[in-house]
Amino acid sequence: MKVAILPVLWLWLLEAEGRCFFNRTQEHCVCYSLSQESLSSIIRCLPASVVEFYGGELKTYVDFPIRNLNPSAIDMLGSLVIRKIIVGDLLVPEVLLAQVLRFFSYTQVQELVFENCIFDGRGNWDKMDGQNLPILSLHFHNVTSAPLTGREQDFSSLSSWLETLQELAVTGSHVTSLPCGIGRVFRALRYLNMAQNSLGDESLMPAFCKGAFPQLQVLSLQRNNLTSYHGVCRSIQLLHELQHLDLSQNQLIADLSASCQWPVSLQIFNLSNTGLDEVLTPLPPSLEVLDMSCNHLHAVDISLSSLKKLFLNQNMLQAAPSIRNCPMLDTLHLDNNSIRELPWDEVKLLGQLRDVAVANNPYNCSCSGAGGLQALVSMGHLGQGWPQDYTCHSPPHYQGRLVKDVQVSVLQCNSAAVIAPVCIALALFGVVGVICLLRSRPRLIRP
Ligand SMILES: *[C@@H]1O[C@H](CO)[C@@H](O)[C@H](O)[C@H]1NC(C)=O
Ligand SMILES: *[C@@H]1O[C@H](CO)[C@@H](O)[C@H](O)[C@H]1NC(C)=O
Ligand SMILES: *[C@@H]1O[C@H](CO)[C@@H](O)[C@H](O)[C@H]1NC(C)=O
Ligand SMILES: *[C@@H]1O[C@H](CO)[C@@H](O)[C@H](O)[C@H]1NC(C)=O
Ligand SMILES: *[C@@H]1O[C@H](CO)[C@@H](O)[C@H](O)[C@H]1NC(C)=O
Ligand SMILES: *[C@@H]1O[C@H](CO)[C@@H](O)[C@H](O)[C@H]1NC(C)=O
């Protein structure tokens, strides 16, 4: 039987009870701890492009002799359409992984994911020397393994492949450091996600040392143990291609012990939920997207000539920020702040944006709190949440009412905006009146 050709890859599936479920429309197959009896069900997975394997036991196959594949087996592997493999809830002996991984060079698998796995022991990676694999994306989530330090030899055996890898994610795995030498292997890496680990300020400098990750464009350090805004800035200064940096869910403070410039390539910066009570400087000069939501900001005054999207929801802003110095801005989110009203001149500026959201603020509906918003709505750019998430908090007789339902006395509230045109109109009527008068009663003037 052909499946027997893929020795270790499937072997562990034979052990426990389980089976595979194939969804033809999604080309997606999920297998739960397969057994020898239910082996026929794994054949169903062969036309799938995504295969997931959960549970089972690999340890018993560690001593299994693995020989090189014969040509028909290689043909067979090459004909599979599987592009992505997800392996979960499993103890993976590294010895075994080291032996099996090289067979992937005959497949078209581009994405490999391990989640909730324990990598056990240390394997010998010599056989991977010079091997190229089609895998471009590697994701580990909630995995444990032997420490990475002191494993330069292993990484150099894998380097032909790792040099071509484009995406690497190691998330939720208690990583505390990333040795300098590792980053230097990943020469083509575009995307690095280290979210939900324990990287501290002092571990960043070696991780992004000279020559490490030279092509990196996207870096997520979300939810780690970072505290120094300027320390992060100094650590990643050498990432000249970096476009997107996510520092959200760290508790950041200023540390002005030395100056620092962010890479000018940086376009997207996520500082959401970082405990900020003021906007720290410098900001990357060419930013297009800045997320500072979920902080304790009381006031924001930024000028970034290329900024397009600014997220300030869930802060303590008393007023909409000045956006005069952000000429390219098209999106501004101010939900969940302490804004009571939107003055008329701000409404005119906000009305020029494509996407504005100001929901869940404690509006004072006695005047421009309601009038400004209604004007903004009439300009047609208020995002989702209107009208149900826009309610009045004051004065008492409006409390709890929807801003939409408040009758705004335009004359009383927008005196500058309304009275000026009214005066002009009256003045014009006055002139017209006088002219009419003069025409109809010429005798009055010419005695
Ligand atoms: C396959 O997936 C589609 C889309 O999620 C779903 O509608 C369909 O019911 C699934 N088919 C089977 C057999 O589970
Ligand atoms: C992480 O993986 C371990 C097995 O290695 C598992 O016991 C644990 O429940 C997983 N944690 C989460 C949050 O999924
Ligand atoms: C986070 O960093 C602090 C010092 O910077 C350290 O004391 C603490 O143990 C670290 N926490 C984790 C989970 O690594
Ligand atoms: C910033 O990160 C948070 C998670 O911490 C995420 O919800 C949000 O969408 C991110 N913002 C942007 C602009 O990507
Ligand atoms: C505003 O706060 C509410 C309640 O805490 C929350 O459900 C909602 O997601 C928040 N919206 C935004 C855009 O922050
Ligand atoms: C609401 O606005 C009115 C008129 O602009 C003002 O007199 C009043 O003090 C404001 N109330 C609050 C709670 O801000």
Side-chain angles (χ1 to χ4, degrees):
M1 186 164 54
K2 276 206 165 163
V3 173
I5 292 163
L6 313 173
V8 176
L9 199 60
W10 311 126
L11 265 178
W12 58 275
L13 302 167
L14 315 182
E15 187 76 346
E17 289 293 329
R19 58 183 303 138
C20 297
F21 302 91
F22 179 52
N23 184 322
R24 191 166 300 278
T25 46
Q26 293 189 311
E27 296 190 350
H28 190 213
C29 202
V30 187
C31 299
Y32 301 96
S33 34
L34 278 181
S35 67
Q36 204 144 13
E37 295 76 54
S38 54
L39 182 64
S40 57
S41 77
I42 198 179
I43 293 172
R44 275 191 241 147
C45 282
L46 295 183
S49 61
V50 180
V51 184
E52 304 187 34
F53 297 116
Y54 293 100
E57 176 58 70
L58 282 177
K59 237 186 160 130
T60 40
Y61 303 108
V62 166
D63 299 323
F64 194 84
I66 297 176
R67 276 162 273 111
N68 287 333
L69 298 181
N70 61 34
S72 67
I74 292 173
D75 279 354
M76 152 76 180
L77 283 177
S79 68
L80 295 179
V81 293
I82 299 176
R83 293 285 188 280
K84 178 173 180 177
I85 294 181
I86 302 173
V87 177
D89 307 332
L90 201 65
L91 189 121
V92 184
E94 203 184 288
V95 180
L96 201 57
L97 188 64
Q99 300 198 55
V100 169
L101 203 58
R102 65 198 162 102
F103 296 127
F104 279 80
S105 61
Y106 304 116
T107 70
Q108 300 172 49
V109 175
Q110 293 180 342
E111 242 186 298
L112 192 54
V113 181
F114 293 93
E115 50 187 45
N116 308 331
C117 288
I118 298 171
F119 293 97
D120 191 28
R122 288 199 41 182
N124 177 356
W125 295 92
D126 291 350
K127 288 215 176 80
M128 286 295 291
D129 227 347
Q131 287 266 7
N132 292 309
L133 301 188
I135 299 168
L136 298 173
S137 167
L138 198 50
H139 188 168
F140 302 91
H141 177 72
N142 182 26
V143 299
T144 44
S145 78
L148 295 180
T149 32
R151 305 195 56 177
E152 286 73 13
Q153 182 52 44
D154 297 343
F155 277 93
S156 102
S157 298
L158 288 165
S159 64
S160 309
W161 165 45
L162 297 180
E163 271 170 22
T164 64
L165 202 72
Q166 293 186 356
E167 297 190 4
L168 174 66
V170 186
T171 55
S173 299
H174 307 286
V175 179
T176 54
S177 70
L178 208 55
C180 169
I182 290 183
R184 289 183 173 153
V185 174
F186 291 93
R187 283 204 251 139
L189 204 74
R190 303 278 162 85
Y191 169 101
L192 176 63
N193 183 355
M194 298 295 301
Q196 300 173 39
N197 282 297
S198 307
L199 293 172
D201 298 322
E202 66 297 330
S203 60
L204 285 197
M205 197 64 97
F208 302 105
C209 64
K210 193 163 168 40
F213 306 109
Q215 307 275 335
L216 200 64
Q217 292 177 356
V218 181
L219 173 60
S220 175
L221 297 170
Q222 183 194 102
R223 191 141 35 116
N224 270 275
N225 199 13
L226 304 172
T227 62
S228 166
Y229 180 81
H230 297 89
V232 175
C233 176
R234 286 190 287 274
S235 304
I236 63 143
Q237 280 186 104
L238 297 173
L239 299 176
H240 298 299
E241 306 289 323
L242 195 66
Q243 292 173 8
H244 182 163
L245 177 62
D246 186 349
L247 298 180
S248 64
Q249 301 180 48
N250 288 283
Q251 291 300 303
L252 299 177
I253 50 167
D255 159 19
L256 296 167
S257 56
S259 69
C260 168
Q261 293 299 320
W262 296 97
V264 284
S265 51
L266 212 52
Q267 292 172 355
I268 304 176
F269 197 17
N270 199 334
L271 290 169
S272 174
N273 202 345
T274 48
L276 299 181
D277 50 20
E278 58 175 337
V279 179
L280 298 180
T281 53
L283 284 170
S286 316
L287 271 193
E288 293 185 4
V289 179
L290 177 57
D291 189 341
M292 290 197 292
S293 59
C294 309
N295 282 297
H296 314 298
L297 302 174
H298 290 270
V300 170
D301 185 7
I302 47 180
S303 28
L304 286 168
S305 56
S306 42
L307 194 67
K308 293 182 179 151
K309 300 188 194 307
L310 178 57
F311 299 100
L312 293 168
N313 35 302
Q314 216 137 329
N315 273 287
M316 300 166 95
L317 301 176
Q318 309 269 337
S322 164
I323 55 171
R324 274 171 233 277
N325 296 322
C326 302
M328 304 294 282
L329 200 70
D330 65 37
T331 299
L332 178 62
H333 287 192
L334 296 166
D335 316 66
N336 290 349
N337 273 283
S338 306
I339 299 170
R340 290 178 196 279
E341 56 176 23
L342 295 174
W344 181 248
D345 49 347
E346 277 174 23
V347 167
K348 276 192 290 184
L349 280 173
L350 295 177
Q352 291 163 17
L353 304 183
R354 202 163 45 79
D355 173 10
V356 186
V358 217
N360 295 316
N361 276 285
Y363 289 110
N364 177 349
C365 289
S366 63
C367 226
S368 50
L373 273 172
Q374 291 176 0
L376 202 55
V377 171
S378 66
M379 295 176 188
H381 302 292
L382 207 57
Q384 61 180 25
W386 177 268
Q388 73 280 4
D389 295 338
Y390 291 77
T391 50
C392 305
H393 279 229
S394 62
H397 59 281
Y398 280 132
Q399 201 167 14
R401 280 177 64 178
L402 290 182
V403 174
K404 173 181 77 101
D405 298 333
V406 174
Q407 296 284 326
V408 180
S409 155
V410 180
L411 252 178
Q412 178 198 341
C413 293
N414 295 320
S415 43
V418 175
I419 291 174
V422 167
C423 292
I424 293 168
L426 287 177
L428 285 175
F429 278 131
V431 172
V432 172
V434 168
I435 292 171
C436 294
L437 205 65
L438 291 179
R439 285 202 175 159
S440 61
R441 302 265 167 90
R443 271 166 293 138
L444 280 181
I445 299 174
R446 273 189 250 140

